[in-house]
Amino acid sequence: MAAAVAVALSFPSMAPSPYELTVGIAILNYAVLSTSWNFVGGFTGYISLGHGAFAGLGAYGTGLLVTKAELPSFLALFTAAALVAVLAVPVGYAALRVRGASFVIVSIALVLILLLVFQSWSSFTGGSRGLVVPRPFPGMLRSEHHEVFYFLFLGLLALALGTWWIIDRSRFGMGLKAIREDEDKAQSLGTPTYTYKLVVFVVSATFTALAGGLYGLWFGDLDPVFQFSILSGAYMVLMALLGGVRHLYGPLLGALIVGYGLEYSKLEYGDTPLHLVFAGLLLGVVVMFMPDGVIPAATGLLARVFKTGETSIREVTAAELREEREADPTPDSRDPKREVRQ
């Protein structure tokens, strides 16, 4: 972890050109988005393909507060995230009443509705012409601007990972995992499943909105077709699934692989849809060969090779146990961490 943090902090000084730095920012943005999605997908097992709606709302909310209300850039960012969190309560209240494929359809419907609204309301949002967001640091050179936002995205990623880690080790997180494994059984045992789902849904939407708003301040040019795209939500799911949704660093690893692949294919092949082919093939490989993700697959392989996955409870047969007792019949010599295998 120390080595990874050192590399992340020194990347801006090691980047050979501003373009590589922008690729690093894009990958960090993907990492924050996929980690934010993993609050819902990893803990509860609910698959949302419309999570890009919250990123788009965060981006447009920040941009509109800056351009229309003339708020300072970062005050607008946190205000927009707070408004998205408030909006996520009724959205989650309605969407989380359904499960499985129905929830997926509801999440897709949300992002499509917002796309139509922001495209049609051109007098307020700019419509298809887009929305230009003023740079928060107008006196900086472009390279300095990128470097500042690189560290801002890195800090937001650290905050998202820290929050996920805290929830994962809390009683609240245990309840969310119970929902993921068997929601009906968890509810029958007294877990307030609906409240837990709604709370983590709002947390996920807030971090997603912060990532979208920070992207809007960095990129400065918002288009509803891009901001409210189903592909954005699909990329979040792909990155989290690739790394491993049940692991803290799963979405981060997935963002490194998928994000770099997307940026490389766009650079090499331009506006052709080959980057979509790459994403589709990668999703097929993950589903077929690594359904739990790269990190669980790698740790499982290492456990089998080095036999580190053995349980602390030693298994012995009844005959072996009888022989040991005959050899040393004193009660204190018995190992309490043994399990008799019949």
Side-chain angles (χ1 to χ4, degrees):
M1 184 182 297
V5 171
V7 170
L9 291 175
S10 58
F11 178 76
S13 61
M14 296 188 301
S17 71
Y19 172 75
E20 280 76 13
L21 187 55
T22 61
V23 172
I25 295 173
I27 291 175
L28 284 177
N29 181 47
Y30 285 135
V32 176
L33 289 174
S34 56
T35 301
S36 303
W37 179 91
N38 205 36
F39 281 99
V40 173
F43 282 128
T44 68
Y46 278 61
I47 304 298
S48 171
L49 290 178
H51 238 59
F54 298 119
L57 285 173
Y60 264 94
T62 303
L64 290 172
L65 286 172
V66 171
T67 57
K68 304 292 185 181
E70 298 183 353
L71 290 180
S73 299
F74 292 99
L75 177 60
L77 170 65
F78 290 106
T79 303
L83 292 174
V84 171
V86 172
L87 179 63
V89 174
V91 171
Y93 184 82
L96 293 172
R97 292 184 176 275
V98 295
R99 307 180 191 175
S102 299
F103 179 79
V104 176
I105 293 172
V106 170
S107 66
I108 294 174
L110 173 65
V111 71
L112 291 178
I113 290 171
L114 289 175
L115 171 61
L116 293 175
V117 169
F118 277 79
Q119 267 191 320
S120 303
W121 200 1
S122 57
S123 60
F124 184 65
T125 65
S128 299
R129 300 189 306 273
L131 178 68
V132 177
V133 183
R135 293 170 58 182
F137 310 109
M140 283 188 178
L141 298 175
R142 196 65 178 172
S143 57
E144 296 172 340
H145 178 82
H146 292 327
E147 186 172 347
V148 169
F149 271 92
Y150 175 88
F151 287 111
L152 289 174
F153 273 106
L154 189 63
L156 182 58
L157 175 61
L159 180 61
L161 290 173
T163 305
W164 201 97
W165 185 85
I166 292 171
I167 293 177
D168 184 46
R169 283 153 179 78
S170 66
R171 184 179 180 87
F172 174 58
M174 187 178 295
L176 293 174
K177 295 172 193 175
I179 294 171
R180 180 186 65 201
E181 300 303 326
D182 193 328
E183 185 170 349
D184 293 327
K185 185 178 293 185
Q187 187 171 5
S188 68
L189 293 174
T191 302
T193 56
Y194 189 76
T195 302
Y196 277 24
K197 290 188 298 182
L198 183 59
V199 170
V200 81
F201 185 82
V202 173
V203 172
S204 176
T206 303
F207 275 105
T208 307
L210 284 171
L214 198 59
Y215 177 87
L217 291 176
W218 168 62
F219 195 71
D221 191 2
L222 303 178
D223 183 357
V225 175
F226 176 76
Q227 299 300 325
F228 298 99
S229 172
I230 297 178
L231 287 176
S232 299
Y235 289 151
M236 296 182 207
V237 177
L238 174 58
M239 292 170 191
L241 290 178
L242 177 60
V245 294
R246 302 186 182 191
H247 197 281
L248 173 64
Y249 301 112
L252 175 57
L253 177 61
L256 285 172
I257 298 172
V258 178
Y260 180 80
L262 291 175
E263 295 300 320
Y264 177 80
S265 61
K266 291 176 183 177
L267 176 65
E268 291 294 322
Y269 307 108
D271 294 331
T272 62
L274 287 178
H275 65 282
L276 300 179
V277 176
F278 161 76
L281 290 175
L282 189 58
L283 179 60
V285 170
V286 170
V287 172
M288 292 176 62
F289 301 105
M290 293 179 294
D292 293 328
V294 172
I295 293 180
T299 53
L301 178 61
L302 291 175
R304 289 193 297 272
V305 171
F306 297 103
K307 301 185 184 303
T308 58
E310 293 182 350
T311 176
S312 61
I313 301 177
R314 266 195 312 120
E315 292 186 351
V316 294
T317 63
E320 291 171 340
L321 182 60
R322 185 168 53 252
E323 291 176 0
E324 290 184 10
R325 285 177 175 174
E326 291 174 354
D328 190 0
T330 58
D332 293 340
S333 65
R334 298 174 187 173
D335 187 354
K337 291 187 178 180
R338 290 185 300 179
E339 179 182 277
V340 177
R341 184 177 68 249
Q342 299 294 341

